Amino acid sequence: MNKLLLALMVPTFITAQEFVDPNAFDFKTAKGTVVIEFWAEWNAGNQVDFLPSLKDCESYRLCIVKGAKVKKKYKVTAIPTVIIFNNGVEQSRFDPNIMMQLQATKKQVQKAIDNITLSKFQ
């Protein structure tokens, strides 16, 4: 009984992916390493859930319905597409497969982030 009460008292944190407003896109991606998932509600079943757990970066989700101009600017043709920016410049892109599922794994995306981080020290 005591263990149950203790478990209920410990706060549980559910990490949800934060959305970026299309009007703030350039500001949010301008500084540092930022990962953006181009997303749509109708494909929410294939959303990329591991982005909030990536290290050494900020991550956001952009709704392509609200951010159609941003989607067009970066030539995103399928979702979910994940783009990694460093100081506002696209560094890596991960596209979905024909089933509209991201082909990259968390490990592959983190490796791209790590390469960006390491390049700052070379």
Side-chain angles (χ1 to χ4, degrees), residues 18-37:
E18 182 181 343
F19 282 88
V20 63
D21 184 291
N23 297 321
F25 187 88
D26 290 336
F27 176 76
K28 292 283 192 178
T29 58
K31 214 169 185 184
T33 305
V34 180
V35 180
I36 302 287
E37 174 192 358

Side-chain angles (χ1 to χ4, degrees), residues 22-76:
N23 297 321
F25 187 88
D26 290 336
F27 176 76
K28 292 283 192 178
T29 58
K31 214 169 185 184
T33 305
V34 180
V35 180
I36 302 287
E37 174 192 358
F38 288 80
W39 176 91
E41 187 174 358
W42 51 263
N43 194 37
N46 290 329
Q47 69 189 20
V48 182
D49 291 328
F50 62 76
L51 295 185
S53 65
L54 295 170
K55 296 178 182 2
D56 301 319
C57 68
E58 296 292 325
S59 64
Y60 301 98
R61 186 172 280 152
L62 177 79
C63 177
I64 62 167
V65 174
K66 295 177 182 175
K69 288 181 183 177
V70 178
K71 175 184 162 269
K72 184 177 179 180
K73 177 181 178 180
Y74 289 98
K75 299 178 178 144
V76 173

Side-chain angles (χ1 to χ4, degrees), residues 98-117:
I98 196 166
M99 299 300 293
M100 299 176 91
Q101 298 168 334
L102 189 68
Q103 292 187 157
T105 64
K106 177 182 176 183
K107 186 175 181 179
Q108 291 169 318
V109 176
Q110 185 65 59
K111 183 176 181 181
I113 295 165
D114 292 345
N115 287 339
I116 292 168
T117 302

